[in-house]
Amino acid sequence: MGITIKDIAKEASVSIATVSRVINNKSQGVGKETRKKILSIMEKYNYVPSSVARGLVTKKTNIIGLILPDINNPFFPGIVRGAEDAANKYGYNIILCNTDDNEKRERTYIQILKEKCVEGILYTSILNNKNKNVKLFYQHNIPFVSLDRSVDMKNVPFVCTNGEIGMHKIVEYLVQNGHAEIAYISGEKQIETSYSRLQGYKKALNKFGIPINEKIIKYGDYKINSGRACIRELLDSNETFTAVACENDLMAIGALEVLNNRNIKVPQQISITGYDNIFLTNVTFPKLTTIAQPTYDMGYKAVELLMSIINKEENYKKQIVLEPDLVIRDSVFKQKDFHYI
């Protein structure tokens, strides 16, 4: 069993309160020699004070939580890197929690982080959360920032990109290259991210006077398998389309795999686009045209926003929406180059 603060106090012949003041850099009333003696004993036994225990006294642990739904998704590492860099700038550490899109695990992690006395939490909700667990932050009085997936509640602080604008850009690019029959693979209906991107798709079609065909809109869950399933449904239907816009890169990669397996040439016969610009889009064949989200900036700015909340600063911007960029690669051809299947 390791040495305790009580052991240090006994060896130094001082009170536990005196040792606590030294540990927490509150040495007022502690003599220079006494402080030196206590620090010497701590060094002798390699004593490392518990940040949690210290936090119970000082209300400051310099730890924040980061809750993500799927760390296997290549979209999230950029966010983690940005968040870590920003946290280090402020002298904070991050505890990373992966929920696997499971509501119970998400709720458990919020409770664990509360018990660890984190000062705040960055939070990307699970797909079907419907704001249930967000209420826990308010119940426990935990500062938090919603990250990537905005929450359908008033005055919730969040950092995300403008999904409507991003999808509008990519559909507009398809239309400008001659496509009027553009199928769409969406994420789950109930989340705000899917809704905003779907609105971008529909508004782009409306802008060019192209009728919306609900029969070529399919719904997945942002994972590769759902991209495979959705493109099979589209191909096996009687509907015609020359391009497919996908709401994220993983679903686009799944769809691209099925097209290749069925010997359907991309982009010569069907064009396909993704969304997120994960590293895999630059190594697929063909390389995917997609929308780049500034993931590093999202993580970095989310920590900055959380620090403003923790420090009770005034007049900070509570909701930050970043602009996505179109990345043109090889998966879209002009209409004149297409051979219909």
Side-chain angles (χ1 to χ4, degrees):
M1 186 174 178
I3 191 170
T4 66
I5 189 173
K6 184 177 180 180
D7 297 326
I8 295 171
K10 184 177 180 180
E11 185 165 333
S13 300
V14 297
S15 68
I16 292 174
T18 298
V19 177
S20 179
R21 284 199 291 272
V22 172
I23 290 174
N24 293 304
N25 293 318
K26 295 182 178 180
S27 300
Q28 186 177 0
V30 180
K32 184 177 180 181
E33 289 302 316
T34 300
R35 182 176 185 278
K36 185 177 179 181
K37 184 178 182 180
I38 291 170
L39 291 174
S40 177
I41 294 170
M42 290 170 60
E43 184 177 357
K44 172 181 161 184
Y45 293 108
N46 293 317
Y47 175 75
V48 179
S50 166
S51 61
V52 174
R54 187 168 61 231
L56 292 173
V57 177
T58 64
K59 305 300 182 184
K60 191 170 180 64
T61 59
N62 285 68
I63 298 173
I64 58 178
L66 174 54
I67 299 177
L68 298 177
D70 182 11
I71 197 60
N72 286 325
N73 187 330
F75 169 75
F76 289 109
I79 287 178
V80 175
R81 180 63 186 272
E84 282 187 328
D85 286 353
N88 290 336
K89 182 183 77 171
Y90 287 97
Y92 277 70
N93 293 308
I94 288 178
I95 297 176
L96 177 62
C97 303
N98 176 54
T99 65
D100 280 333
D101 264 324
N102 182 286
E103 183 181 344
K104 185 177 179 181
R105 287 188 67 175
E106 183 179 88
R107 191 165 57 247
T108 298
Y109 276 132
I110 293 172
Q111 182 62 38
I112 289 172
L113 292 173
K114 175 181 177 292
E115 292 170 359
K116 295 291 183 184
C117 298
V118 298
E119 294 185 44
I121 294 175
L122 304 178
Y123 167 74
T124 301
S125 67
I126 63 174
L127 289 175
N128 62 354
N129 180 44
K130 296 183 180 178
N131 308 325
K132 290 179 184 177
N133 292 332
V134 174
K135 297 173 183 177
L136 294 175
F137 297 124
Y138 292 110
Q139 290 172 9
H140 297 311
N141 197 29
I142 303 173
F144 77 99
V145 172
S146 179
L147 185 54
D148 179 44
R149 298 172 184 171
S150 58
V151 177
D152 188 21
M153 294 174 68
K154 288 184 178 180
N155 300 318
V156 169
F158 66 78
V159 177
C160 66
T161 57
N162 193 317
E164 183 176 313
I165 286 178
M167 190 56 70
H168 193 286
K169 283 183 177 181
I170 210 159
V171 174
E172 185 174 53
Y173 175 72
L174 287 167
V175 173
Q176 288 171 344
N177 278 284
H179 296 277
E181 296 173 306
I182 303 170
Y184 190 77
I185 298 179
S186 171
E188 295 193 18
K189 292 181 181 180
Q190 64 266 37
I191 69 169
E192 179 64 25
T193 302
S194 291
Y195 176 80
S196 62
R197 292 180 190 177
L198 182 57
Q199 292 308 299
Y201 163 78
K202 291 182 175 181
K203 287 182 179 181
L205 295 182
N206 286 334
K207 175 182 176 180
F208 292 97
I210 299 172
I212 296 168
N213 180 2
E214 296 287 346
K215 293 180 181 179
I216 56 173
I217 299 175
K218 302 297 178 181
Y219 295 89
D221 62 4
Y222 288 125
K223 297 180 181 178
I224 288 178
N225 276 340
S226 68
R228 294 184 183 117
C230 288
I231 194 66
R232 289 189 189 107
E233 285 184 41
L234 288 167
L235 293 172
D236 295 339
S237 71
N238 293 320
E239 304 300 319
T240 60
F241 54 94
T242 63
V244 185
C246 301
E247 266 195 18
N248 82 336
D249 291 331
L250 290 181
M251 292 193 296
I253 289 169
L256 182 60
E257 178 190 350
V258 171
L259 291 171
N260 287 334
N261 288 342
R262 293 197 181 189
N263 295 316
I264 297 171
K265 293 181 180 180
V266 177
Q268 290 88 345
Q269 292 175 288
I270 292 180
S271 288
I272 188 166
T273 61
Y275 199 111
D276 286 340
N277 195 36
I278 63 175
F279 72 93
L280 292 171
T281 57
N282 206 31
V283 295
T284 56
F285 183 78
K287 296 179 180 180
L288 274 173
T289 291
T290 187
I291 289 290
Q293 296 201 74
T295 53
Y296 180 90
D297 288 346
M298 289 169 67
Y300 201 98
K301 289 181 180 297
V303 170
E304 289 184 325
L305 175 54
L306 185 60
M307 289 298 112
S308 297
I309 297 170
I310 290 171
N311 296 326
K312 296 181 170 59
E313 297 175 9
E314 296 182 1
N315 301 321
Y316 62 87
K317 191 173 182 180
K318 196 171 184 179
Q319 297 178 335
I320 300 171
V321 181
L322 304 175
E323 182 108 357
D325 294 314
L326 176 64
V327 178
I328 299 172
R329 294 199 180 98
D330 306 324
S331 61
V332 175
F333 260 26
K334 292 182 180 180
Q335 186 72 21
K336 66 182 179 62
D337 297 316
F338 273 73
H339 309 286
Y340 289 98
I341 59 174

